[in-house]
Amino acid sequence: MEIRIYERLVDIPQATWDALHDGRNPFVAHAFLDGLEAHGCLREEWGWSPQHLTLWRDDELIAAAPGYVKANSHGEFVFDHAWAKL
């Protein structure tokens, strides 16, 4: 088995990613996550760096987790507003 980290979801075939879930949660669907990246909703200059964790057995994707490294608190409204009240 091999762990791979992807910096772009588009580098993982949609059918391969989507075969891992039952389709009831749209927020883990390849189309949704790739759309966020493709349309600039998640981008490095805003502090979001995709780091999608995958587990492969030979050429078969057997597990995956969408992930993003957050380099700042911009856009984290819960935390930003809490600090602003102090």
Side-chain angles (χ1 to χ4, degrees):
M1 284 199 247
E2 178 184 5
I3 294 173
R4 300 179 199 165
I5 297 174
Y6 288 83
E7 294 180 355
R8 298 174 346 138
L9 196 65
V10 71
D11 293 335
I12 303 169
Q14 181 172 352
T16 303
W17 179 275
D18 286 340
L20 296 175
H21 65 93
D22 63 9
R24 290 189 289 176
N25 182 351
F27 301 112
V28 296
H30 191 284
F32 176 77
L33 296 169
D34 182 49
L36 292 176
E37 293 176 22
H39 295 287
C41 298
L42 300 171
R43 55 182 145 178
E44 226 175 290
E45 57 266 22
W46 287 357
W48 295 95
S49 298
Q51 297 287 299
H52 307 297
L53 182 64
T54 62
L55 181 63
W56 297 80
R57 183 184 304 126
D58 299 319
D59 290 330
E60 178 188 7
L61 179 62
I62 59 172
Y68 302 89
V69 173
K70 187 73 167 113
N72 59 41
S73 69
H74 301 266
E76 298 295 322
F77 300 112
V78 173
F79 302 113
D80 290 346
H81 288 284
W83 281 104
K85 289 182 182 181
L86 293 178

